[in-house]
Amino acid sequence: MNTAAKFGGIGAFVLLLLNEVPEQYTLYAAVFVFACSAASALIPPPHAGSKWAVAYQVMTTIGLNIGWAENHFKPGQSGVRVPLADKPAAKQAVASAGIPVLNKKGKPEQAANGNT
């Protein structure tokens, strides 16, 4: 599913939810979404086995951290920052060390034509 479709679906869902909130409380609902977004940017993700991992995922979802706004660090995962030009070599080095390279959904990438 592409990012535009995700934004469209989530945007429609958020609008549906906000339409169900009484008008005098919509500001509070919007502030809650903003607070979840800000908190997920400031709070480092817990480790995968933590009791807080699910709460963190819910907070990032409420904060609409999707697409380009999605947090790069997730519970149980780490990120290695390399220059974009070195991305293929970095992926190759990680894969050759026997460490699976994960896709955006946290699943191991499948090799395509010998490349990961």
Side-chain angles (χ1 to χ4, degrees), residues 10-110:
I10 291 176
F13 180 71
V14 169
L15 286 175
L16 176 70
L17 286 180
L18 287 177
N19 283 334
E20 297 301 318
V21 174
E23 189 173 335
Q24 68 266 27
Y25 301 118
T26 55
L27 175 65
Y28 300 115
V31 168
F32 180 65
V33 169
F34 175 74
C36 286
S37 180
S40 66
L42 297 173
I43 299 171
H47 62 83
S50 172
K51 64 181 178 181
W52 294 104
V54 172
Y56 185 84
Q57 294 288 2
V58 169
M59 178 180 64
T60 59
T61 302
I62 292 171
L64 300 175
N65 290 342
I66 57 171
W68 286 98
E70 184 178 19
N71 293 348
H72 293 283
F73 298 107
K74 297 176 178 40
Q77 297 179 12
S78 67
V80 178
R81 300 180 70 83
V82 296
L84 190 56
D86 295 333
K87 181 178 176 180
K91 288 174 85 172
Q92 178 76 25
V94 169
S96 66
I99 302 168
V101 176
L102 305 178
N103 63 17
K104 291 181 180 181
K105 296 185 179 196
K107 307 283 187 215
E109 285 187 358
Q110 298 297 321

